Amino acid sequence: QKEVEQNSGPLSVPEGAIASLNCTYSDRGSQSFFWYRQYSGKSPELIMSIYSNGDKEDGRFTAQLNKASQYVSLLIRDSQPSDSATYLCAVGSSGGSYIPTFGRGTSLIVHP
Amino acid sequence: GAVVSQHPSRVICKSGTSVKIECRSLDFQATTMFWYRQFPKQSLMLMATSNEGSKATYEQGVEKDKFLINHASLTLSTLTVTSAHPEDSSFYICSASPTGPNEKLFFGSGTQLSVL
């Protein structure tokens, strides 16, 4: 059973701070990793994808991947109240399934 | 990014009726589409994988006779909730990937189903 674990939160950070969201996964052979943002009552929206160890930056977002430790994280710099949402980590399967496995999501609250 | 369109966005129906939800990939062809269900404050739950030109693959515990899936073309999949009951009330979301297995998924806007 492939698993993707996330702390459900909520993670509360002040406006302007760095929000750090973490995700661990069990499938050692996974090669693709994704972060989605989901606002309440809306469908998930892709924020970042990462495939290689290290950091990948896109605007205020940085995804970090460490395959040896089987974790992937998302940093949000200069957090804004509009970043308040649930962040879903998804990990591609190494075999069998052809659909990424989603974590349960971490709720982020950015307070003014 | 790729665009997945889903309609209707909201539907209210009486118990015992059937509801059809459409999912279209607007700028790419999708041989495979995925249907999810999400209850309030719960995680995404994969219901089934829709395969163009063949039968859908249902996840364990999902009734195939209740949730009918048709994927008649490379850009359209439909989910029909038959004989809907109040416990079927949920947020239904479709998704597809323009780039292949275990790649980034793009989601439709979702359908909020309320069964009275």
Side-chain angles (χ1 to χ4, degrees):
Chain A
Q1 181 80 4
K2 299 181 176 67
E3 294 182 348
V4 177
E5 300 287 342
Q6 294 182 258
N7 188 319
S8 62
L11 172 66
S12 182
V13 300
E15 183 174 358
I18 296 175
S20 178
L21 304 158
N22 300 311
C23 170
T24 59
Y25 60 94
S26 63
D27 185 350
R28 283 196 164 275
S30 295
Q31 298 295 323
S32 53
F33 308 85
F34 312 96
W35 282 100
Y36 292 82
R37 176 176 62 198
Q38 186 176 22
Y39 291 113
S40 180
K42 304 293 185 183
S43 62
E45 170 192 15
L46 180 69
I47 300 175
M48 297 276 292
S49 58
I50 187 167
Y51 303 90
S52 303
N53 281 328
D55 295 359
K56 179 181 178 183
E57 187 175 316
D58 184 359
R60 295 187 296 112
F61 299 100
T62 299
Q64 299 176 316
L65 175 61
N66 184 323
K67 292 182 181 179
S69 299
Q70 294 175 246
Y71 85 78
V72 57
S73 62
L74 179 71
L75 301 179
I76 306 175
R77 289 182 299 281
D78 188 24
S79 295
Q80 302 296 309
S82 58
D83 295 325
S84 298
T86 296
Y87 289 81
L88 303 169
C89 171
V91 176
S93 173
S94 63
S97 171
Y98 45 80
I99 186 171
T101 300
F102 281 81
R104 298 175 67 86
T106 297
S107 174
L108 173 67
I109 299 172
V110 181
H111 54 86
Chain B
V3 179
V4 176
S5 174
Q6 185 174 343
H7 294 281
S9 58
R10 182 177 297 272
V11 60
I12 301 172
C13 68
K14 291 182 179 179
S15 185
T17 60
S18 294
V19 173
K20 179 185 282 189
I21 303 169
E22 289 191 350
C23 180
R24 294 179 185 273
S25 54
L26 297 187
D27 51 1
F28 66 98
Q29 293 184 331
T31 56
T32 306
M33 291 185 175
F34 307 99
W35 288 95
Y36 290 86
R37 180 167 56 183
Q38 188 175 39
F39 293 104
K41 299 193 184 300
Q42 301 281 318
S43 59
L44 287 174
M45 188 193 82
L46 178 65
M47 298 177 66
T49 300
S50 171
N51 302 298
E52 188 268 334
S54 64
K55 291 183 179 180
T57 304
Y58 291 82
E59 296 299 304
Q60 191 172 8
V62 177
E63 301 174 59
K64 61 179 68 175
D65 293 333
K66 180 168 188 62
F67 298 100
L68 300 180
I69 291 174
N70 184 274
H71 195 149
S73 78
L74 287 171
T75 59
L76 174 64
S77 174
T78 61
L79 168 68
T80 301
V81 183
T82 62
S83 186
H85 291 285
E87 57 265 32
D88 298 323
S89 298
S90 187
F91 191 46
Y92 293 86
I93 318 171
C94 69
S95 71
S97 172
T99 48
N102 286 294
E103 269 300 334
K104 54 193 75 171
L105 291 174
F106 292 88
F107 289 83
S109 55
T111 299
Q112 183 62 55
L113 171 64
S114 299
V115 184
L116 304 178

